[in-house]
C-alpha cells in the first residue's frame, strides 16, 4: 500500500502521455511494420502477406525500384555526412567566435539563429535560385557572385551536378538553416564550463588552444551528442527542402521522398511502409547508442 | 489563482461549444438526399481558375437559389494537396458531394475502391454522349460506364516559340517531324542557342508523351496504354532513342525550376522551342503581355497535326455523398453549355462540349476550339496529366523515366514500363 502511494501519483501523472505515445507512436510503428510485410495497395490497403518481398524489391538492383532505392540510399548517406559534419563544424566555430566576447554578441547570436525560423520550403525556393547552374543570361545566385568577383572557377552545377554528389549541394541550405541552432547549443555548453576550471588551467601555464582542447572539449561531449542526434534525424527525414528544390529529380532523391511518392501518388502502401521501416532503422542506428550512452552516464552520476 | 480559474472556465466553455457544434454536424449529416447544400472539393483556387469556378457558382445561384454552394478549395500545384486531403476524407467515409479529378485513368483507383457512382444515367439524360467528342467519351469510359463529368479541355501536344527568334536564326518554319527538329536543332546549337528548353521531371514526361505520339502515330500511341503496343518493340525503342537525342539538344543540365522559367528562356531568345500544354497561352498573354501570332506563336508538336492530346478536369459523385440530389444538379451544370461557357473563357481552356458558343473564345482558344470540334480531329489522352495511365503505373513510370533520363537506356525503360503495366493494370 505504501509502495503504491509512492509511485502511484507519478504513474497517474504520466499515464496519459504514456497511453498517447503508446498508441500514436509505438502502436503505429507496429502497424507500419506489419503493413511492410504485405502487398497492401490503394486506399483500402487490400493485399496479402508477402513476407520480405517489399524489402527484397528495394534491394534488387535489376528492377527500377531497387535502382532508385540504391541511388536514394547513397544520396541520403552523402547528405547526412555533409550536413551533420558541416553544421557541427560551422556551429562550433561560430560559438567559439562569439565566446571570445565580441561586441554586440546578442545581435550576432540572433543573426546566426534566425535562419532556423524560416520554413524549409521558403529556404528551398531561395536556395534553388542561389544554387542555379544557368549560364549566359540565366546566370544567377552564387555562380553569378563568383564570376563577378573573379572566382569563376568556383562556379558549380550544384544540385544539378551529374557527379552523384549533387545532394551535397542541398546540405548547404540545410546546414545554413541549422548551424545557428547548433551554435546556440555549443555556446550554452561552453558557457557551462566553470570559469575557475579554465583559470586553473591558465595558471598551470596552458595556452588558449590547450584550454579549449583539454578543458572545454571534454565537457562539450554531451552537447555534441545531442546535436549529433538532432541533426542526424533531421537529415533522414528531410523532405520539404528537397521536394521544393527540384521536384522528382533522381539526382537529389532520398528514401523519404521515394516513400512519399510511391505511397501517396502510386498507392503502393506496402512498399512505402517498407521504406519507412528502413528509415526508422536508420534513425535507430543513431538513437540507440545515444540512449545507451546517456543511460550509462546517468547511472555513473 | 483567480486568473487560472477564469482560464479554466473559458476552456470549459470552448470545449462545450466544440462539442455542440460537432453534434449538430452529426445530426445534419444523415444520408437522406437533401437539396439545400452542395459541397464541392477542387484545387481551383488560383487566379483564372477560381474566377471560372465563381462564374459557375453564380450561375448555380441564379438557376437554383435554394442551394448553398460550399467551396472546399485546396491550394497546391496540380491538386497534389487536394488529393491527399481527399484521400483522408474518403478513407473516413466522409466524402464531399463532388470532387475534382483529372478525367480518365486518374479516377481508376476510385472506381476500384467503389468510391464513385456510375454517372452513365446523367450522360443519357442530358445527351452528353453525342455532345462530347467520341474520342473523349471512349477515353473516359471504363467497362462501359462513365464516372465523371469533364468541364474543360486542355491540350498537351503543342510547341511554343517566338517568331522573331526563328527569323533571326533564319528558320523558315517550326519542324513538322522530330527528324526535322533534330536537323534544326544541330544548326541552332551551332549558333550557341538551346533548341528546346525543359523544366523539372514532369515536363520531361510531358515531352516524352508527345515524342511518342509524334513518332508512333495515334493508333500505336493509344495502344501503349491498353497493352496493344509492345513497349519493348523496335518502333517504341527507336522513338525512345529519339527522345534521348532530342533531350541532348535541350538545357536539361540546367533545367528550369518549373515550366514558366523554361518558357522564359524561349521568351528571352536563349532557347527556341518549348513543348508545353495550352495553359502557357494564359501565361504568355497575361503575365508576359505578348500578343498571339506576333509576340508568340504555337504549332502542334512535331508529327501530331490533326491530333488532340487532351487532358481535362472533371467532377464526380462520391458514393455516400450527403447531398446527392444537389450534387446531381451541380454535375448537370458542369456538363451544360452555359456552365462550360461560363467557366472556360476565364480559366483559359475550352469546353468539352462541341456545341459551345464560339464567340466567347478568342485568340489561341478560338484555334483550339476549332480543332477540338473538327470531326476529323483524332483525340488521344495525356500520360503526364492522368488520362491514360492509372496512378500506380504512372508513379512507376516516373521512377523508370528518372533513370532513363539519367542513363539513356531505352530498352531498359521499355522493359520496366511493360513490366509495371502488367503488374498494375
Amino acid at each position: 500500500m505504501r509502495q503504491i502511494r509512492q509511485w502511484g501519483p507519478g504513474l497517474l501523472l504520466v499515464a496519459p502521455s504514456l497511453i498517447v505515445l503508446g498508441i500514436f507512436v509505438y502502436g503505429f510503428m507496429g502497424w507500419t511494420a506489419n503493413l511492410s510485410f504485405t502487398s497492401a495497395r490503394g486506399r483500402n490497403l487490400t493485399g496479402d502477406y508477402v513476407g520480405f518481398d517489399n524489402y527484397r524489391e528495394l534491394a534488387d538492383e535489376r528492377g527500377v525500384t531497387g535502382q532508385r532505392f540504391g541511388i536514394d540510399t547513397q544520396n541520403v548517406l552523402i547528405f547526412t555526412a555533409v550536413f551533420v559534419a558541416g553544421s557541427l563544424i560551422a556551429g562550433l566555430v561560430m560559438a567559439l567566435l562569439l565566446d571570445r566576447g565580441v561586441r554586440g554578441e546578442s545581435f550576432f547570436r540572433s543573426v546566426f539563429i534566425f535562419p532556423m525560423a524560416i520554413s524549409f520550403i521558403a529556404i528551398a525556393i531561395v536556395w534553388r535560385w542561389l544554387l542555379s547552374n544557368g549560364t549566359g543570361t540565366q546566370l544567377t545566385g552564387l555562380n553569378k557572385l563568383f564570376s563577378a568577383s573573379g572566382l569563376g572557377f568556383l562556379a558549380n552545377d550544384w544540385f544539378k551536378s551529374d557527379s552523384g554528389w549533387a545532394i551535397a549541394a542541398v546540405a548547404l541550405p540545410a546546414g545554413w538553416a541549422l548551424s545557428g541552432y547548433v551554435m546556440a547549443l555549443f555556446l550554452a555548453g561552453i558557457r557551462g564550463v566553470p570559469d575557475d576550471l579554465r583559470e586553473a588551467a591558465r595558471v598551470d601555464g596552458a595556452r588558449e588552444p590547450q584550454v579549449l582542447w583539454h578543458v572545454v572539449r571534454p565537457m562539450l561531449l554531451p552537447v555534441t551528442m545531442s546535436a549529433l542526434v538532432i541533426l542526424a534525424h533531421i537529415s533522414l527525414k528531410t523532405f520539404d527542402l528537397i521536394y521544393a528544390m527540384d521536384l522528382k529529380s533522381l539526382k537529389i532523391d532520398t528514401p523519404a521522398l521515394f516513400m512519399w511518392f510511391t505511397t501517396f501518388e502510386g498507392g503502393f502502401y506496402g512498399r512505402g511502409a517498407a521504406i519507412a521501416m528502413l528509415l526508422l532503422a536508420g534513425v535507430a542506428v543513431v538513437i540507440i547508442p545515444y540512449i545507451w550512452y546517456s543511460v550509462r552516464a546517468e547511472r555513473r552520476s | 489563482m483567480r486568473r487560472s480559474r477564469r482560464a479554466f472556465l473559458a476552456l470549459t466553455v470552448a470545449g462545450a461549444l466544440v462539442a455542440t457544434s460537432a453534434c449538430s454536424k452529426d445530426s445534419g449529416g444523415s444520408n437522406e438526399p437533401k437539396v439545400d447544400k452542395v459541397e464541392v472539393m477542387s484545387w481551383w483556387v488560383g487566379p483564372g481558375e477560381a474566377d471560372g469556378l465563381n462564374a459557375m457558382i453564380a450561375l448555380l445561384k441564379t438557376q437554383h437559389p435554394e442551394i448553398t454552394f460550399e467551396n472546399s478549395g485546396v491550394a497546391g500545384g496540380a491538386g497534389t494537396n487536394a488529393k491527399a486531403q481527399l484521400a483522408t476524407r474518403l478513407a473516413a467515409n466522409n466524402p464531399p458531394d463532388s470532387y475534382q479529378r483529372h478525367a480518365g485513368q486518374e479516377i481508376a483507383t476510385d472506381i476500384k475502391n467503389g468510391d464513385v457512382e456510375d454517372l452513365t444515367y446523367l450522360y443519357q439524360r442530358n445527351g452528353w454522349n453525342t455532345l462530347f467528342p467520341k474520342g473523349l467519351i471512349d477515353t473516359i469510359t471504363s467497362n462501359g460506364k462513365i464516372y465523371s463529368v469533364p468541364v474543360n479541355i486542355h491540350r498537351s501536344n503543342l510547341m511554343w516559340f517566338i517568331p522573331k527568334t526563328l527569323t533571326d536564326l533564319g528558320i523558315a518554319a517550326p519542324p513538322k517531324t522530330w527528324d526535322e527538329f533534330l536537323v534544326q536543332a544541330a544548326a541552332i546549337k551551332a549558333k550557341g542557342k538551346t533548341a528546346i528548353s525543359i523544366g523539372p521531371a514532369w515536363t520531361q514526361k510531358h515531352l516524352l508523351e508527345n515524342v511518342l505520339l509524334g513518332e508512333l502515330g495515334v493508333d500505336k500511341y493509344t495502344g501503349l496504354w491498353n497493352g496493344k503496343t509492345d513497349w519493348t518493340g523496335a518502333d517504341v525503342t527507336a522513338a525512345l532513342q529519339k527522345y534521348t537525342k532530342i533531350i541532348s539538344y535541350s538545357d536539361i543540365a540546367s533545367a528550369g525550376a518549373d515550366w514558366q522559367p523554361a518558357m522564359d528562356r524561349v521568351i528571352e531568345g536563349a532557347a527556341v522551342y518549348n513543348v508545353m500544354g495550352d495553359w502557357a497561352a494564359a501565361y504568355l498573354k497575361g503575365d508576359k503581355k505578348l500578343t498571339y501570332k506576333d509576340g508568340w506563336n504555337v504549332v502542334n508538336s512535331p508529327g501530331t497535326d490533326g491530333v488532340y492530346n487532351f487532358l481535362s478536369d472533371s467532377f464526380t459523385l462520391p458514393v455516400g455523398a450527403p447531398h446527392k440530389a444537389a450534387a446531381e444538379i451541380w454535375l448537370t451544370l458542369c456538363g451544360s453549355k452555359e456552365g462550360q461557357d461560363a467557366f472556360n473563357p476565364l480559366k483559359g481552356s475550352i469546353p468539352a462540349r462541341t456545341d459551345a458558343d464560339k464567340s466567347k473564345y478568342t485568340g489561341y482558344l478560338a484555334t483550339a476550339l476549332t480543332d477540338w470540334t473538327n470531326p476529323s480531329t483524332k483525340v488521344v489522352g495525356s500520360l503526364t496529366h492522368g488520362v491514360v495511365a492509372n496512378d500506380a503505373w504512372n508513379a512507376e513510370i516516373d521512377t523508370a523515366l528518372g533513370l532513363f533520363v539519367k542513363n539513356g537506356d531505352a530498352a531498359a525503360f521499355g522493359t520496366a514500363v511493360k513490366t509495371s503495366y502488367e503488374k498494375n493494370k
Side-chain angles (χ1 to χ4, degrees):
Chain A
M1 191 59 197
R2 178 174 287 175
Q3 268 183 334
I4 290 185
R5 215 172 264 165
Q6 224 167 38
W7 52 257
L11 182 71
L12 216 61
L13 205 68
V14 293
S17 75
L18 271 186
I19 293 168
V20 168
L21 268 180
I23 297 173
F24 291 101
V25 177
Y26 297 98
F28 284 1
M29 247 181 224
W31 191 70
T32 307
N34 184 38
L35 198 62
S36 75
F37 295 114
T38 67
S39 60
R41 291 280 297 272
R43 200 170 54 55
N44 294 344
L45 302 180
T46 43
D48 309 313
Y49 185 79
V50 293
F52 279 92
D53 273 10
N54 287 321
Y55 295 92
R56 230 169 267 140
E57 191 191 20
L58 289 172
D60 184 3
E61 292 265 335
R62 282 168 302 170
V64 285
T65 308
Q67 283 171 31
R68 179 171 176 180
F69 193 70
I71 295 173
D72 292 355
T73 313
Q74 196 188 329
N75 278 347
V76 82
L77 288 177
I78 296 177
F79 180 74
T80 307
V82 177
F83 164 65
V84 173
S87 304
L88 280 179
I89 294 170
L92 182 61
V93 168
M94 287 192 287
L96 288 175
L97 290 177
L98 281 186
D99 188 49
R100 309 255 79 183
V102 227
R103 216 199 257 178
E105 188 206 306
S106 60
F107 171 75
F108 284 110
R109 218 168 41 206
S110 310
V111 166
F112 288 149
I113 211 165
F114 271 156
M116 206 178 90
I118 307 172
S119 78
F120 263 150
I121 288 280
I123 292 175
I125 304 287
V126 174
W127 280 85
R128 183 172 79 183
W129 176 81
L130 282 175
L131 298 178
S132 156
N133 70 341
T135 49
T137 54
Q138 302 289 326
L139 189 64
T140 55
L142 286 186
N143 283 357
K144 190 169 191 176
L145 186 73
F146 287 150
S147 83
S149 53
L151 297 168
F153 61 93
L154 282 177
N156 209 305
D157 273 337
W158 303 116
F159 64 93
K160 292 217 169 88
S161 157
D162 274 329
S163 66
W165 284 84
I167 188 95
V170 185
L172 204 61
W176 174 78
L178 280 149
S179 52
Y181 174 63
V182 177
M183 174 214 69
L185 288 178
F186 275 131
L187 200 56
I190 295 171
R191 296 278 153 88
V193 179
D195 267 343
D196 25 341
L197 277 183
R198 295 201 217 189
E199 282 305 320
R202 286 190 193 117
V203 168
D204 287 345
R207 282 171 290 119
E208 267 323 285
Q210 285 173 316
V211 174
L212 273 185
W213 186 255
H214 293 291
V215 179
V216 178
R217 184 191 55 98
M219 303 201 71
L220 283 184
L221 195 62
V223 175
T224 316
M225 285 298 275
S226 324
L228 192 74
V229 168
I230 291 166
L231 291 174
H233 95 275
I234 288 179
S235 142
L236 285 177
K237 69 182 190 189
T238 298
F239 176 86
D240 32 8
L241 182 68
I242 299 168
Y243 184 96
M245 205 108 171
D246 195 358
L247 188 62
K248 291 190 188 176
S249 158
L250 283 199
K251 288 175 184 171
I252 56 171
D253 201 43
T254 63
L257 283 128
F258 190 20
M259 195 275 289
W260 196 85
F261 285 122
T262 204
T263 312
F264 299 109
E265 274 196 12
F268 297 98
Y269 281 78
R271 186 195 293 160
I275 301 175
M277 290 318 290
L278 292 173
L279 275 174
L280 180 68
V283 176
V285 166
V286 184
I287 301 270
I288 288 175
Y290 174 69
I291 294 176
W292 179 74
Y293 161 83
S294 40
V295 165
R296 216 181 48 160
E298 251 171 54
R299 268 210 200 123
R300 244 190 239 156
S301 65
Chain B
M1 190 63 207
R2 170 166 288 175
R3 182 174 286 172
S4 74
R5 194 174 288 165
R6 203 179 280 169
F8 176 75
L9 197 72
L11 268 179
T12 323
V13 172
L17 279 176
V18 170
T20 41
S21 71
C23 285
S24 65
K25 207 169 224 172
D26 277 352
S27 59
S30 62
N31 272 343
E32 47 189 284
K34 287 195 173 175
V35 204
D36 56 341
K37 194 185 120 180
V38 61
E39 187 199 351
V40 176
M41 199 167 176
S42 77
W43 55 83
W44 285 336
V45 291
E49 48 193 34
D51 303 330
L53 180 60
N54 284 333
M56 281 218 286
I57 296 171
L59 198 61
L60 182 73
K61 216 164 255 171
T62 47
Q63 288 178 355
H64 296 273
E66 74 280 8
I67 298 177
T68 334
F69 188 92
E70 191 181 332
N71 187 357
S72 298
V74 181
T80 23
N81 300 341
K83 283 175 202 164
Q85 207 179 96
L86 178 69
T88 323
R89 289 190 58 174
L90 290 178
N93 280 324
N94 173 30
D97 296 310
S98 183
Y99 60 83
Q100 183 181 358
R101 274 270 195 258
H102 286 130
Q105 287 297 312
E106 197 175 282
I107 210 173
T109 325
D110 297 352
I111 299 173
K112 233 187 229 168
N113 286 341
D115 286 334
V116 284
E117 302 262 12
D118 173 16
L119 295 177
T120 316
Y121 67 100
L122 280 182
Y123 279 74
Q124 281 159 356
R125 194 189 292 168
N126 296 297
W128 290 338
N129 283 314
T130 49
L131 288 167
F132 295 151
K134 188 180 171 299
L136 173 66
I137 294 286
D138 288 348
T139 321
I140 61 176
T141 303
S142 165
N143 289 329
K145 293 171 184 166
I146 310 181
Y147 295 85
S148 69
V149 180
V151 180
N152 64 350
I153 297 294
H154 276 298
R155 190 175 196 170
S156 160
N157 60 321
L158 293 170
M159 187 145 149
W160 308 79
F161 60 95
I162 305 293
K164 187 175 173 297
T165 315
L166 292 201
T167 335
D168 289 352
L169 289 168
I171 298 170
K176 285 275 172 202
T177 63
W178 284 109
D179 283 325
E180 201 187 313
F181 168 85
L182 289 173
V183 175
Q184 284 192 11
I188 294 167
K189 193 181 177 185
K191 289 184 181 162
K193 285 189 189 283
T194 308
I196 186 165
S197 69
I198 206 155
W202 74 266
T203 65
Q204 295 160 20
K205 194 160 141 192
H206 187 108
L207 176 63
L208 174 73
E209 73 179 41
N210 288 311
V211 171
L212 287 172
L213 177 61
E215 287 293 300
L216 299 173
V218 170
D219 293 336
K220 280 188 191 167
Y221 175 83
T222 312
L224 287 173
W225 317 116
N226 58 24
K228 284 187 186 134
T229 306
D230 183 5
W231 273 92
T232 54
D235 43 358
V236 179
T237 311
L240 290 171
Q241 280 160 349
K242 198 153 283 171
Y243 173 75
T244 311
K245 242 179 241 165
I246 295 162
I247 285 280
S248 73
Y249 286 107
S250 79
D251 55 357
I252 193 163
S254 59
D258 208 340
W259 68 269
Q260 294 97 331
M263 191 63 83
D264 288 347
R265 293 186 188 176
V266 175
I267 298 169
E268 287 163 10
V272 182
Y273 299 111
N274 183 266
V275 171
M276 191 34 62
D278 60 5
W279 42 93
Y283 179 68
L284 291 161
K285 192 175 122 193
D287 300 51
K288 295 291 164 182
K289 311 277 179 235
L290 295 169
T291 49
Y292 178 42
K293 297 276 183 196
D294 303 329
W296 57 275
N297 207 343
V298 59
V299 289
N300 297 331
S301 65
T304 65
D305 274 342
V307 186
Y308 209 107
N309 187 4
F310 89 99
L311 55 133
S312 161
D313 294 301
S314 67
F315 281 92
T316 59
L317 179 60
V319 171
H323 312 89
K324 193 178 171 194
E328 281 176 352
I329 293 176
W330 159 252
L331 291 170
T332 310
L333 178 77
C334 286
S336 73
K337 189 177 159 188
E338 300 78 33
Q340 301 206 342
D341 277 346
F343 176 79
N344 285 298
L346 294 169
K347 157 90 163 125
S349 46
I350 59 161
R353 293 170 69 107
T354 47
D355 64 343
D357 179 0
K358 285 196 169 147
S359 68
K360 291 196 165 174
Y361 302 88
T362 54
Y364 161 76
L365 289 182
T367 336
L369 193 58
T370 313
D371 283 355
W372 178 250
T373 51
N374 184 346
S376 68
T377 296
K378 289 187 173 120
V379 175
V380 296
S382 158
L383 162 71
T384 315
H385 306 282
V387 183
V388 288
N390 62 38
D391 290 347
W393 190 27
N394 225 330
E396 297 289 72
I397 292 177
D398 279 348
T399 297
L401 181 60
L403 293 162
F404 174 45
V405 169
K406 215 172 154 160
N407 61 25
D409 190 342
F413 176 72
T415 313
V417 175
K418 187 182 179 180
T419 319
S420 58
Y421 171 72
E422 296 299 331
K423 280 188 192 159
N424 297 298
K425 64 182 173 187

